[in-house]
Amino acid sequence: MKTTAKKILTVQDLSCVGQCSLTVALPILSAFGLETGVLPTAILSEHTMFKNFTFLDLAQNMEDTLESWKKDGHRFAAFYTGYLGKKEHFGIVERAIGELSEAGAPVIIDPAFGDNGRLYPLFDEEYVNGMREYVSHADVILPNITEACFLAGMPYADRLDRAGVCTLLSALAKGGKYHIVLTGVEEEGKIGFAHYDPATGKTEFYLRPLLDGRFHGTGDIFASVFTGAYLAGKDMFSSAKAAAEFVALAISVNDRTHTYGVQFEKQLADFASDCLR
Ligand code: PXL
């Protein structure tokens, strides 16, 4: 297997049950041959769709870790951030990116704060405002439609036609110079993404047949595969296409009794090595 031999940093929570965030990102990034440093933002008993989740904030540990890494001279060739958890985390991660970056290291941000028109528990307007400022320096953001609407300050629309998607992307594009990979775009039995390129101002769609079932953590699988494929040298659109295909593959082989995430492990090794070939 060709490896990318890059050391990257991912910043997100550790949900100890529920197959999302770090428990998804780490195996996927490893399968893509990446050495992945981790800056955990919080430890949760399970993700926040479970009723009784606990949340241990790691902001102080993030600060201490950043100081240690600066002293020990660690640097990263890319940054991929997902669910953070508290508005206090934005500034710490911004400093980590500013102080630990190799030249030209891309910043990939999955805003990971809502779905189906609603914010996840724990989040409020202030968090969204913090996220809007935080993503403004990204190279690429990977919002779903809910997150894109909140970030763009537009009302949530359940179903958007292509013109509606383009309007949403134009509004969101005003917030920075980032590429946008908008996930969860649906059209007549199909689902996929829209990629907005800030250099051309153009949007390209990729839609594939919609599969039955809604699963938690698919956004994290998407963002992790996107990151792996992009750092392996694919362009943004091809990386997002690989991510969409892998999410569909993982859903298609998922055991139907497994509902709190998707069993992405079954196909991961073969898929990643095909991508790296
Ligand atoms: O998959 C996104 C995610 C990550 N981390 C936590 C979550 C969620 C979505 O609900 O609750 C803790």
Side-chain angles (χ1 to χ4, degrees), residues 6-185:
K6 282 182 180 148
K7 184 164 83 177
I8 73 156
L9 180 65
T10 192
V11 188
Q12 40 193 314
D13 74 283
L14 175 59
S15 282
C16 296
V17 168
Q19 293 213 294
C20 64
S21 43
L22 281 177
T23 60
V24 165
L26 284 178
I28 293 178
L29 297 168
S30 285
F32 277 86
L34 294 161
E35 178 188 340
T36 308
V38 177
L39 189 59
T41 59
I43 299 178
L44 292 89
S45 55
E46 58 237 296
H47 64 58
T48 60
M49 296 298 116
F50 287 93
K51 246 197 295 184
N52 298 297
F53 70 87
T54 64
F55 184 99
L56 174 67
D57 177 28
L58 296 179
Q60 186 56 53
N61 186 64
M62 291 170 75
E63 305 258 19
D64 298 344
T65 300
L66 177 51
E67 288 316 306
S68 301
W69 286 349
K70 273 162 55 186
K71 285 189 203 134
D72 287 332
H74 297 302
R75 290 282 181 278
F76 299 96
F79 296 84
Y80 154 39
T81 81
Y83 183 105
L84 299 180
K86 294 250 177 203
K87 63 181 188 324
E88 291 72 24
H89 298 156
F90 295 124
I92 306 172
V93 186
E94 273 167 8
R95 274 196 288 123
I97 294 170
E99 292 170 9
L100 305 174
S101 194
E102 282 178 5
V107 176
I108 300 164
I109 297 180
D110 176 359
F113 61 74
D115 206 358
N116 302 313
R118 303 170 66 163
L119 300 178
Y120 293 143
L122 306 180
F123 298 146
D124 56 15
E125 198 184 330
E126 249 190 285
Y127 189 85
V128 175
N129 291 340
M131 181 63 77
R132 192 177 297 116
E133 154 61 27
Y134 170 63
V135 301
S136 65
H137 310 293
D139 293 287
V140 52
I141 61 173
L142 305 147
N144 58 32
I145 292 185
T146 300
E147 292 155 352
C149 289
F150 273 101
L151 290 173
M154 290 179 65
Y156 173 71
D158 195 15
R159 264 302 170 92
L160 287 175
D161 58 15
R162 288 196 182 208
V165 166
C166 290
T167 305
L168 176 57
L169 289 169
S170 305
L172 189 53
K174 294 197 171 77
K177 294 202 180 96
Y178 36 62
H179 286 252
I180 306 169
V181 176
L182 179 70
T183 61
V185 174

